[in-house]
Amino acid sequence: APAWRLRPRADVSAVPSPVRVALLGCGTVGSAVARRLQDRQERYAELLGRSLELVGVAVRDRSLPREGVDPVLLTTDAEALVRQADVVVEVMGGIEPARSLIETALRGGAQVVTANKQLVAQQGEGLAAVAAEQGVGLDYEGAVMAAVPVLAVLRDSLAGDEVTAVRGVVNGSTNYVLDLVAREGVAFGEAVRQAGELGYLEADPTEDLEGLDAAAKAVILARTAFGAQVGLDEVDRVGITGLTDEDFKRAAQEGTVIKLVASARRAGCGAQVAVRPEALPAHDPLAAVRGGTNIVVIEAVSAGELRLQGAGAGGEETASAVLGDIVRAARRVR
Ligand code: HSE
């Protein structure tokens, strides 16, 4: 028989189709995600047994250059892009249009990944209900503590335990400011100015300085740890703007360190959530974290005390968490 007859017929159905990924937003985090999806193509294909294909990147303005991102992928039609994807990744920030686009994606049967902490804190429960109804996933590891995989630990690793409390330094911007004052002796107002100049503060600096960013993260931590439904307005919140040079002087004299502490404690079937500056003794694990580093201390009945620490901000670091969620989401795509 001719050789071609002996060859097995190519089974087209055996070649799994690529997982189509749509990216909404191409700022610091989005562009890092796009570049890594490109660089690590082979790695992800091996991991998943099928490729991850970035099908488009929704942006507001196509004319702005995005380093390392193929310009042909850029589109201003986010709605149309969402409808083409198996996995929709929202890294645009803000409440709208992010919320509507995520809802459209979930209702269309796509898996959704987001790093949008304010959106998840304020609207996460409603969106999670839509995801559950549709039988799809909604993951947001990147929304809390960037590269530090705290939500996975609380949700998965400790699922069989009982978490009783979570306490941490979860806002790197204020930690940077507090560090400048306490360690370098920079005046408080000047430290805020320097942090802003270096781009370490959110576009709206009150997000950081008034503890709103930390409160959003604390709400998400409480929900993940205890299943507690706590509104942002229920957080007992004090920012760092009320601190005076006098407070820092007193802390130095007492041998304590002022940190913006976020905490969540189980209380009945809910949780008590707080964000406030505290003067911590030097032996407290929270006292030692420097600059943009974040730390969280988890207490669980069987596990005891666990500490997770690492980069709490940054494009590449947040992309680490987002990419982890993308791989998780891609595994669910049939
Ligand atoms: N401003 C935030 C912080 C950025 O400092 O933690 C990361 O959420």
Side-chain angles (χ1 to χ4, degrees):
W4 59 267
R5 280 214 182 142
L6 299 175
R7 270 192 230 125
R9 203 187 280 162
D11 183 355
V12 177
S13 66
V15 179
S17 56
V19 175
R20 294 161 301 173
V21 180
L23 199 53
L24 310 180
C26 199
T28 329
V29 177
S31 55
V33 170
R35 283 193 298 271
R36 290 303 185 183
L37 281 173
Q38 198 66 35
D39 297 351
R40 296 183 182 146
Q41 230 171 37
E42 278 174 31
R43 188 185 143 74
Y44 296 146
E46 205 169 305
L47 202 62
L48 294 164
R50 60 201 288 199
S51 59
L52 275 182
E53 187 191 340
L54 182 59
V55 292
V57 181
V59 291
R60 256 187 307 217
D61 182 355
R62 285 192 65 211
S63 64
L64 296 176
R66 265 97 184 173
E67 204 195 317
V69 181
D70 186 347
V72 303
L73 291 174
L74 302 180
T75 172
T76 51
D77 192 348
E79 284 269 347
L81 178 61
V82 159
R83 293 179 203 282
Q84 290 169 30
D86 302 305
V87 178
V88 171
V89 183
E90 186 274 310
V91 282
M92 57 207 301
I95 302 296
E96 287 296 349
R99 198 209 62 81
S100 303
L101 289 166
I102 289 178
E103 186 169 347
T104 303
L106 294 171
R107 293 207 183 277
Q111 313 289 326
V112 171
V113 172
T114 174
N116 188 332
K117 60 211 152 182
Q118 288 299 344
L119 178 62
V120 175
Q122 292 172 38
Q123 311 271 343
E125 276 156 17
L127 291 171
V130 176
E133 192 185 295
Q134 298 293 325
V136 292
L138 170 66
D139 291 304
Y140 39 83
E141 186 67 68
V144 181
M145 297 176 75
V148 183
V150 62
L151 300 185
V153 168
L154 291 171
R155 186 193 56 229
D156 300 330
S157 314
L158 294 172
D161 204 330
E162 288 168 72
V163 177
T164 52
V166 179
R167 183 172 164 268
V169 170
V170 298
N171 180 272
S173 309
T174 46
N175 202 47
Y176 178 83
V177 170
L178 296 176
D179 243 13
L180 272 186
V181 180
R183 293 180 191 266
E184 318 284 337
V186 177
F188 182 63
E190 172 59 18
V192 170
R193 200 194 57 75
Q194 282 186 26
E197 208 162 78
L198 289 165
Y200 290 175
L201 296 173
E202 298 280 330
D204 174 3
T206 57
E207 284 274 310
D208 294 311
L209 303 175
E210 298 296 353
L212 290 159
D213 173 272
K217 292 167 182 169
V219 162
I220 300 170
L221 287 170
R223 188 187 302 155
T224 312
F226 318 124
Q229 307 198 354
V230 181
L232 260 183
D233 52 354
E234 293 170 83
V235 178
D236 176 8
R237 174 176 56 83
V238 181
I240 65 168
T241 49
L243 292 172
T244 61
D245 290 326
E246 213 32 61
D247 292 320
F248 290 95
K249 225 174 276 170
R250 190 171 334 109
Q253 278 160 7
E254 289 170 349
T256 59
V257 186
I258 299 178
K259 294 287 180 192
L260 184 65
V261 177
S263 61
R265 185 165 289 282
R266 189 188 281 280
C269 49
Q272 267 178 352
V273 183
V275 171
R276 63 170 83 94
E278 290 180 22
L280 304 174
H283 62 77
D284 189 305
L286 271 52
V289 289
R290 305 278 297 264
T293 307
N294 282 184
I295 184 171
V296 68
V297 180
I298 301 168
E299 278 167 41
V301 171
S302 302
E305 184 189 286
L306 299 171
R307 297 178 189 179
L308 294 173
Q309 180 172 335
E316 184 71 19
E317 293 83 348
T318 309
S320 167
V322 171
L323 290 158
D325 278 349
I326 294 174
V327 170
R328 200 193 318 267
R331 286 192 173 123
R332 296 192 205 106
V333 175
R334 274 184 234 122

